[in-house]
Amino acid sequence: MRLAAEVERLAAELEQSRARIIDLEAKVDIDPLTEVLSRRGFERELKRSVAYVKRYGTSAALVYLDLDGFKPVNDRHGHAAGDAVLKAVAAALVRHVRASDVVARIGGDEFVVLLWNLNGPAAGAKAAALEQAIYSTPVQWVSSTLVVGAAAGVALIGALDTPADLLARADAAMYARKVERREITSPHVGEREPRAGRATR
């Protein structure tokens, strides 16, 4: 009887330990600040998604977003203000995609979005809409209104892609978009003065 009770106790402790491990692994996959996927969580999801596209021939696209005007927010208002902006950006991205899509923060001010069932033109249009969604999400901080922009690069997932290739292509497209935005009249980002229509970089 004592042996059976001891075995039952050890089995219960093992189950509790497994549950704690699963919980910790899930937390590692989530960015604690923005509550979207972390880089680790996204890389795991991207690997699964590339395999799914290869197997079933579905269409999907990766959007790589890098914020514009984020450093001045940190420099002028401190990291707490920067954190508030990052949280707002993540929330805006989640609001503007479907439940089946994936949003992640993979760097300091870098986000990625995995979009399902979109062709090239539709993915490009969605990337532009996400840029606008970020710019249209001002953050009130003390007496200032903080605004950032974003450059979005798009890469369609192909049957021969690896996750690393896909990220590299989307990253390169994002940098090309940054250059394009510098060459045209782009929205001012950084800070809007209270009760004024003017924005400054």
Side-chain angles (χ1 to χ4, degrees), residues 3 30 34 45 57 64-65 75 81 86 89 94 96 103 105 117-118 124 150 167 174 176 181 187-188 193 198:
L3 179 59
I30 299 297
T34 60
E45 183 65 28
Y64 198 121
L65 297 125
D75 291 346
L86 292 173
V89 167
V94 170
H96 285 83
V103 177
R105 178 188 175 212
N117 301 316
L118 289 181
L167 272 171
M174 180 273 293
R181 283 167 60 84
H188 293 301
E193 295 183 1
R198 183 174 62 87

Side-chain angles (χ1 to χ4, degrees), residues 30-46:
I30 299 297
D31 176 48
L33 176 64
T34 60
E35 299 183 349
V36 297
L37 283 181
S38 64
R39 186 179 190 98
R40 170 180 157 154
F42 180 75
E43 287 176 347
R44 184 178 300 174
E45 183 65 28
L46 183 60

Side-chain angles (χ1 to χ4, degrees), residues 169-191:
R169 284 212 327 274
D171 186 38
M174 180 273 293
Y175 275 105
R177 175 63 174 154
K178 271 193 180 291
V179 172
E180 177 187 353
R181 283 167 60 84
R182 291 192 190 107
E183 293 174 350
I184 62 177
T185 302
S186 59
H188 293 301
V189 295
E191 180 177 342

Side-chain angles (χ1 to χ4, degrees), residues 27-79:
K27 288 179 179 177
V28 170
D29 285 347
I30 299 297
D31 176 48
L33 176 64
T34 60
E35 299 183 349
V36 297
L37 283 181
S38 64
R39 186 179 190 98
R40 170 180 157 154
F42 180 75
E43 287 176 347
R44 184 178 300 174
E45 183 65 28
L46 183 60
K47 184 177 180 179
R48 285 197 294 259
S49 299
V50 169
Y52 188 89
V53 168
K54 288 180 180 179
R55 182 170 183 177
Y56 297 104
T58 55
S59 59
L62 179 64
V63 179
Y64 198 121
L65 297 125
D66 184 75
L67 301 186
D68 295 328
F70 180 71
K71 187 176 184 298
V73 170
N74 273 338
D75 291 346
R76 296 174 189 170
H77 301 280
H79 289 287

Side-chain angles (χ1 to χ4, degrees), residues 14 17-18 26 52 82 85 106-107 125-126 135 142 144 152 160:
L14 179 59
S17 296
R18 287 174 176 166
Y52 188 89
V85 169
I106 62 170
K126 188 62 179 180
Y135 181 67
V142 192
S144 300
L160 301 179

Side-chain angles (χ1 to χ4, degrees), residues 86-108:
L86 292 173
K87 290 179 184 179
V89 167
L93 292 175
V94 170
R95 284 196 306 270
H96 285 83
V97 299
R98 298 159 297 182
S100 59
D101 299 327
V102 177
V103 177
R105 178 188 175 212
I106 62 170

